[in-house]
């Protein structure tokens, strides 16, 4: 059975910065169809940041909240703890929430809190990929299905 890391907010856990979640019904159905073993993670909560917390975006190598504070060290801590979790569970696939400054895998916000996306990846995604872990988003359902069919 395939074991993968999943952003907890995609599973309906209320860990998002605003106290809500990003429940991804079609993703959950796919995971159930292939009996994938799920290991939920939330890098920002694992780092000790509270929920709710101010929204943050990547800006010039830093992570800045909407009120102007740097939370880079917390985000790095969350990324490191996520990698440790993957390694301790022998996991080499993750499905993480698109557009997040931690979890984004194709797009992130541009750092101006203006709801503008640019190509890029979050800190946790970057660290996982640097360590050989494949990272998908909740929108990559066809790719994930192909992967599950072949494993
Ligand atoms: Fe979801 Fe990742 Fe943000 Fe946690 S850090 S709420 S898992 S997108």
């Amino acid at each position: 059975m395939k074991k993968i890391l999943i952003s907890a907010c995609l599973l309906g856990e209320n860990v998002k910065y605003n106290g809500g979640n990003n429940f991804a019904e079609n993703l959950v159905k796919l995971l159930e169809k292939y009996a994938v073993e799920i290991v939920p993670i939330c890098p920002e909560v694992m780092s000790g940041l509270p929920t709710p917390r101010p929204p943050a975006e990547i800006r010039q190598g830093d992570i800045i909240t909407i009120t102007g504070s740097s939370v880079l060290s917390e985000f790095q801590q969350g990324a490191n703890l996520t990698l440790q979790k993957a390694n301790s569970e022998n996991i080499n696939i993750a499905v993480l929430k698109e557009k997040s400054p931690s979890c984004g895998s194709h797009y992130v916000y541009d750092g101006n809190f203006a709801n503008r996306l640019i190509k890029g990846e979050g800190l946790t995604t970057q660290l996982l990929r640097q360590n050989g872990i494949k990272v998908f988003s909740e929108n990559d359902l066809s790719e994930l299905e192909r992967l599950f069919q072949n494993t």
Side-chain angles (χ1 to χ4, degrees):
M1 182 195 289
K2 208 48 164 169
K3 198 199 265 192
I4 65 176
L5 286 186
I6 304 268
S7 286
C9 59
L10 294 175
L11 301 170
E13 292 186 31
N14 291 330
V15 290
K16 193 175 164 179
Y17 73 88
N18 62 5
N21 65 68
N22 300 301
F23 181 62
E25 187 179 357
N26 290 339
L27 171 65
V28 171
K29 280 186 184 157
L30 185 70
L31 299 172
E32 285 171 359
K33 178 176 171 187
Y34 289 94
V36 175
E37 190 176 343
I38 291 167
V39 176
I41 49 95
C42 175
E44 292 172 26
V45 167
M46 290 157 82
S47 78
L49 286 169
T51 306
R53 53 191 172 276
E57 295 190 5
I58 301 172
R59 187 187 296 161
Q60 294 168 348
D62 202 348
I63 308 273
I64 303 290
T65 67
I66 197 164
T67 51
S69 310
S70 173
V71 281
L72 180 62
S73 63
E74 289 88 344
F75 273 57
Q76 286 171 332
Q77 167 84 339
N80 287 330
L81 291 171
T82 302
L83 177 61
Q84 280 175 27
K85 183 77 178 161
N87 288 339
S88 70
E89 304 254 1
N90 282 321
I91 291 174
N92 58 12
I93 299 171
V95 182
L96 304 185
K97 173 72 182 74
E98 191 62 281
K99 303 188 284 194
S100 150
S102 291
C103 294
S105 56
H106 305 89
Y107 299 99
V108 290
Y109 289 104
D110 74 355
N112 293 306
F113 298 93
N115 210 25
R116 280 195 303 259
L117 291 170
I118 53 172
K119 286 193 173 179
E121 58 192 6
L123 252 65
T124 294
T125 299
Q126 190 177 58
L127 185 66
L128 294 181
R129 283 177 169 161
Q130 283 167 354
N131 286 274
I133 296 170
K134 288 196 180 88
V135 182
F136 299 88
S137 83
E138 72 278 16
N139 303 321
D140 296 326
L141 295 181
S142 321
E143 277 175 84
L144 283 167
E145 181 143 33
R146 273 197 299 277
L147 187 74
F148 297 152
Q149 281 167 346
N150 295 325
T151 50

